[in-house]
Amino acid sequence: MRRYLFCSVFLAALLSCGKDSENPITETPTGPVDDPYAVDLPNGNFESGLEGWTRHDYANGENAVFEIAEGQGTNGSKCLKIQQFPENGVCCVAAERKLTGLEPDQMYRVSARVRYSDVPNDEGTGPVLFSPNTNQYWNSSKYLYGTELKSWTTVSCDFLTDDWGDATISVALGFWQGGLANGGRSTGTAYFDNITVKKVSDELFTLKGEHVRLYIEPSKVIIANDVLSKWLERLDMMYESYAELMGGTPYNGRNLAILTTRGIYSGYWALAGYPILWSSNYTAVEDSFAQMADYDDWCFGLLHELGHVFNIGNSGWNWNDEMFANFRMQYGLEKNNGKVWMDGADGQKRIYQGREILAMYKIDYDKTIATQVNDNGIHYMLARLADESILGWEPFIRTFQYLSKNGGSGGTNYDKFIYFVNTLSRYASEVHGKDINVLTEYFTEQELESIRKQLQ
């Protein structure tokens, strides 16, 4: 499966434990700035202790040091200190506060000054900012490792408010989601000072379409505005096609957001959710924009993540949403005659337009069907049936909408596959006015055995 999460190799370097700095860091103070986008955040510098802040032990926080450190903040001020010794295990301990009265469903940025020590890069994020939100589990500030006590580092995290203009901000040692792929827990020491919140203005390049809006790091925008606007129009078209296929829209029809970020675990190209996170740690964003300009590419990776977002309703029938995200994309590409720049059979990149994308999945089908077919091969076997000369798309539309409403039958992934195909048979019979058994009429015994091996 051409999944857009690329594994990175991490060189684990455990740093020896050291003592906290005894001397405050002196910085040149800056005068007050009248910023119309700034949010009033009393005690963002912890000079009044923890007033306005609440401790939240997400994981293994009972032994963590959580205190106001006198004289250890910027210019000898107070700051928040969170410390977890390795012998007590990895943790996530946060200071949180709820923000109210902000603009609903708008992008804001929380920033902080941090310094830190003894954070191993084989465990978790170390000091981190995030806005805990079940619509987007992975959003955070840049991960920090090692030791940096001699100077303060500014970190930030962009987040969306809810429909009432509320949000929660967290400054933490370790991430609230476990597992390195989601951020991970941590040990070490972190100091936090001067927390600020502001509505995003010129910090991000913003462009809004009918259904999708873009928040892009300005340095990454290397193409002309008309090319970017055209791509946004195409994202809107794909959104409408996904909604047509699935019979509904995600997040109550809110205008979806695509946000570039340096915070997410570097092994990911992009992550679905609200907002969709697009990693700008490397050159993925610039490379994608260059392909749009050079090949009229619609960007397979973001269309795939958009497909994930349309995993709506009861998904108990769904045995692999990596595959179905691409399946939704195929429907959108066919409906809109869209183009994606992807690998061909000869290993060279080529443009696939509309239903031509089926040929890309056939490459894997041909390679794997004789032994154990992979997910791309299963995609091919299902999507080939959407040809107008076989079943067409209407039985699939009815199948997806029924399953999204009613769920599945449970059991193994192979059981779910059989249930999906039997449901498709029912609606194919209904659409074409004759009895159709998709399983026996359109799959060979070899194909079914190969699918069984893969799914069981």
Side-chain angles (χ1 to χ4, degrees):
M1 170 93 26
R2 289 166 176 82
R3 297 169 61 180
Y4 273 72
L5 46 105
F6 300 151
C7 295
S8 299
V9 178
F10 290 87
L11 299 178
L14 291 174
L15 299 170
S16 59
C17 295
K19 294 183 179 180
D20 298 340
S21 174
E22 300 293 337
N23 300 313
I25 307 298
T26 301
E27 297 189 319
T28 303
T30 56
V33 177
D34 186 14
D35 186 346
Y37 298 102
V39 174
D40 183 28
L41 193 70
N43 197 32
N45 56 10
F46 300 104
E47 292 304 305
S48 298
L50 290 171
E51 182 179 323
W53 297 89
T54 302
R55 174 173 175 162
H56 191 152
D57 291 345
Y58 280 99
N60 193 32
E62 59 271 13
N63 294 313
V65 174
F66 185 91
E67 63 185 15
I68 299 300
E70 297 276 354
Q72 294 298 307
T74 58
N75 298 314
S77 64
K78 297 178 182 179
C79 66
L80 173 66
K81 174 184 177 181
I82 307 176
Q83 184 176 43
Q84 179 80 337
F85 294 105
E87 57 266 29
N88 293 324
V90 294
C91 74
C92 175
V93 180
E96 293 187 346
R97 68 190 297 167
K98 184 174 181 179
L99 307 177
T100 60
L102 306 179
E103 292 185 36
D105 198 28
Q106 292 296 319
M107 193 71 72
Y108 282 79
R109 173 171 291 184
V110 55
S111 300
R113 300 288 278 164
V114 302
R115 56 193 185 101
Y116 49 95
S117 66
D118 308 316
V119 177
N121 69 354
D122 61 345
E123 290 181 355
T125 64
V128 66
L129 311 184
F130 55 86
S131 179
N133 185 344
T134 55
N135 289 333
Q136 180 46 268
Y137 290 105
W138 296 279
N139 194 19
S140 77
S141 59
K142 181 180 180 180
Y143 296 173
L144 300 173
Y145 307 109
T147 294
E148 180 50 79
L149 289 174
K150 294 183 179 180
S151 61
W152 290 88
T153 300
T154 299
V155 295
S156 61
C157 175
D158 300 321
F159 62 93
L160 286 170
T161 56
D162 64 19
D163 288 346
W164 297 272
D166 297 343
T168 297
I169 57 171
S170 303
V171 299
L173 176 66
F175 196 53
W176 70 304
Q177 295 296 313
L180 182 59
N182 296 350
R185 319 300 192 197
S186 186
T187 59
T189 304
Y191 299 89
F192 298 92
D193 203 357
N194 298 342
I195 317 299
T196 62
V197 176
K198 64 177 298 183
K199 182 183 175 183
V200 166
S201 53
D202 57 0
E203 293 82 11
L204 295 171
F205 175 86
T206 305
L207 197 62
K208 185 174 181 180
E210 185 175 355
H211 306 293
V212 180
R213 48 191 161 155
L214 305 176
Y215 294 91
I216 310 296
E217 184 180 322
S219 65
K220 301 291 182 178
V221 182
I222 62 170
I223 55 176
N225 191 65
D226 60 335
V227 177
L228 200 55
S229 297
K230 187 66 176 178
W231 180 52
L232 185 57
E233 291 176 12
R234 290 162 171 173
L235 291 176
D236 282 338
M237 293 161 57
M238 295 293 285
Y239 178 102
E240 292 175 358
S241 295
Y242 293 174
E244 182 179 73
L245 179 65
M246 301 303 295
T249 56
Y251 305 116
N252 298 317
R254 295 184 186 94
N255 200 271
L256 295 182
I258 296 174
L259 169 67
T260 59
T261 174
R262 294 186 181 273
I264 58 176
Y265 167 59
S266 58
Y268 285 99
W269 194 92
L271 290 165
Y274 189 75
I276 295 171
L277 302 180
W278 194 7
S279 176
S280 58
N281 288 319
Y282 304 109
T283 62
V285 179
E286 298 98 320
D287 292 345
S288 296
F289 286 157
Q291 288 176 190
M292 292 176 199
D294 294 342
Y295 305 106
D296 200 23
D297 175 38
W298 291 27
C299 191
F300 185 102
L302 267 298
L303 298 183
H304 172 84
E305 300 306 330
L306 188 63
H308 273 308
V309 172
F310 274 85
N311 182 16
I312 56 179
N314 187 330
S315 60
W317 57 273
N318 187 336
W319 68 87
N320 185 341
D321 202 58
E322 291 298 325
M323 187 195 78
F324 280 113
N326 288 342
F327 203 85
R328 297 174 195 117
M329 187 205 313
Q330 170 147 352
Y331 179 76
L333 290 174
E334 290 192 34
K335 291 288 291 184
N336 299 291
N337 205 29
K339 299 177 182 179
V340 288
W341 176 249
M342 294 295 290
D343 291 338
D346 58 359
Q348 300 298 310
K349 292 275 191 176
R350 54 156 289 191
I351 278 288
Y352 295 92
Q353 185 166 8
R355 190 163 173 77
E356 290 176 357
I357 191 63
L358 188 62
M360 189 186 76
Y361 297 104
K362 190 175 186 300
I363 296 170
D364 279 9
Y365 169 85
D366 290 337
K367 289 179 179 178
T368 63
I369 190 60
T371 53
Q372 182 174 320
V373 70
N374 66 14
D375 297 322
N376 278 349
I378 297 175
H379 176 131
Y380 168 76
M381 284 183 274
L382 289 172
R384 67 187 177 184
L385 305 180
D387 190 281
E388 290 301 321
S389 65
I390 305 176
L391 299 181
W393 276 106
E394 184 60 29
F396 284 96
I397 293 172
R398 299 188 189 188
T399 295
F400 282 121
Q401 294 183 10
Y402 173 84
L403 293 175
S404 295
K405 181 178 180 180
N406 297 284
S409 61
T412 67
N413 284 340
Y414 186 71
D415 293 332
K416 293 178 181 180
F417 167 78
I418 295 299
Y419 183 74
F420 180 92
V421 174
N422 286 341
T423 306
L424 181 64
S425 295
R426 183 167 78 248
Y427 286 111
S429 300
E430 182 181 285
V431 169
H432 293 284
K434 62 180 181 179
D435 289 338
I436 296 176
N437 187 322
V438 171
L439 202 64
T440 59
E441 293 180 40
Y442 297 109
F443 288 86
T444 67
E445 284 299 321
Q446 181 195 47
E447 289 174 339
L448 292 176
E449 179 59 26
S450 192
I451 293 171
R452 185 182 295 108
K453 289 179 180 178
Q454 170 71 357
L455 298 185
Q456 288 187 342

